Amino acid sequence: MDNAKELRQVYDIFTAAWRAYREHYPPGNPQDDTYWSKLVDDLHEIESQYNCQLCRDILCNVASDLERKAKVLHQSK
């Protein structure tokens, strides 16, 4: 893959991850199975589209950050 194509794919991965993050923000209750199932489905769809380690790493961080924020947000209520 040439540099321009690789950079475009990286850009597309970050953009897809950002859109998923934005769509699922603010995070749902940690006990809300519907919210988390939808998040996992959306992230899995992105991962299957790009199928590379960078994508998996970014998506894991998206899920992890939303989970961390959900625990803090819903503990304080």
Side-chain angles (χ1 to χ4, degrees), residues 1-14 50 52 54:
M1 183 181 300
D2 66 36
N3 288 341
K5 270 183 133 174
E6 184 174 358
L7 283 176
R8 180 61 196 192
Q9 183 178 24
V10 169
Y11 174 82
D12 290 344
I13 290 168
F14 275 102
Y50 295 103
C52 68
L54 175 64

Side-chain angles (χ1 to χ4, degrees), residues 2-54:
D2 66 36
N3 288 341
K5 270 183 133 174
E6 184 174 358
L7 283 176
R8 180 61 196 192
Q9 183 178 24
V10 169
Y11 174 82
D12 290 344
I13 290 168
F14 275 102
T15 301
W18 159 244
R19 287 183 179 145
Y21 190 96
R22 182 182 62 192
E23 181 180 334
H24 294 280
Y25 191 88
N29 187 311
Q31 307 305 318
D32 182 357
D33 290 339
T34 303
Y35 170 85
W36 296 103
S37 292
K38 175 77 169 116
L39 173 65
V40 168
D41 290 346
D42 290 351
L43 298 181
H44 180 70
E45 185 178 325
I46 295 167
E47 192 276 330
S48 66
Q49 182 179 358
Y50 295 103
N51 192 27
C52 68
Q53 190 60 49
L54 175 64

